[in-house]
Amino acid sequence: MSEKNHKKYQHEILTVLLDDCFCNDEVAEILTKAGFLLEQFTTHFPRALGQPGTREQGVKDPRVIALSHKLKMVVFTTDRSMSTDHEAVIKKQTNAMIVATAHKVGTDDMWANAFIKAKIKIERLHKKQQRPWYARINQQGDITVCKSFAPC
């Protein structure tokens, strides 16, 4: 990464968007206690006005990727194919940042603990990795894949 890009990101505060799959009070509480600043899926994709905490159904990944770009948030998701299914979308959303689980097996609290173990690595990616980027995390909290996309 160039020195210019490193300085561009260094003062940004890491904010995590919990994708639909992790949008629940249990995960939010675990991650908040570990020091993550969170945004819930339901905040940005509510089912209807006047129904707080409910979520819009069928939100397509490009909308989530666009929100990540617009608000410079890191998305936590179980959708490990997001990077391949929507590579062209990610390339156009130059601030998109995604951390996906290696697989969908496991409990929410197990994955929340994996994110906690990887917190320093995720913070480093947020501040230093050329954007847009995609990372994959395993159950032990190791980042097993990290890919930057050249913007279009």
Side-chain angles (χ1 to χ4, degrees):
M1 167 179 281
S2 73
E3 185 65 24
K4 179 181 174 185
N5 283 336
H6 172 72
K7 288 183 179 181
K8 178 179 173 182
Y9 307 143
Q10 70 183 352
H11 296 293
E12 290 181 6
I13 296 170
L14 170 63
T15 304
V16 172
L17 173 64
L18 294 178
D19 198 9
D20 190 26
C21 52
F22 288 123
C23 187
N24 64 62
D25 293 339
E26 178 186 8
V27 172
E29 182 179 353
I30 293 168
L31 294 176
T32 300
K33 283 182 180 178
F36 282 102
L37 180 61
L38 302 177
E39 294 275 337
Q40 294 269 14
F41 185 88
T42 52
T43 302
H44 298 280
F45 301 104
R47 176 172 284 168
L49 295 176
Q51 294 181 1
T54 62
R55 57 187 86 165
E56 180 181 339
Q57 300 298 305
V59 175
K60 302 294 184 197
D61 290 341
R63 289 179 61 200
V64 176
I65 295 165
L67 183 65
S68 169
H69 161 76
K70 180 181 177 184
L71 300 179
K72 299 179 182 177
M73 292 188 291
V74 177
V75 178
F76 284 3
T77 185
T78 61
D79 187 353
R80 68 178 271 162
S81 64
M82 189 182 283
S83 69
T84 53
D85 291 349
H86 304 291
E87 184 171 344
V89 173
I90 294 170
K91 285 181 178 180
K92 291 179 183 175
Q93 304 295 334
T94 56
N95 283 310
M97 298 169 279
I98 302 159
V99 178
T101 60
H103 47 80
K104 292 184 179 183
V105 177
T107 62
D108 286 352
D109 63 325
M110 184 217 60
W111 283 115
N113 286 313
F115 288 123
I116 291 167
K117 290 176 188 173
K119 186 173 189 274
I120 292 171
K121 295 171 195 164
I122 294 167
E123 289 170 337
R124 189 175 307 122
L125 288 172
H126 176 258
K127 294 202 179 284
K128 295 186 177 188
Q129 185 70 30
Q130 178 64 44
R131 295 178 188 170
W133 58 262
Y134 168 88
R136 190 170 303 146
I137 187 172
N138 67 18
Q139 292 176 344
Q140 292 75 38
D142 299 318
I143 302 292
T144 58
V145 172
C146 186
K147 178 180 180 181
S148 288
F149 297 90
C152 293

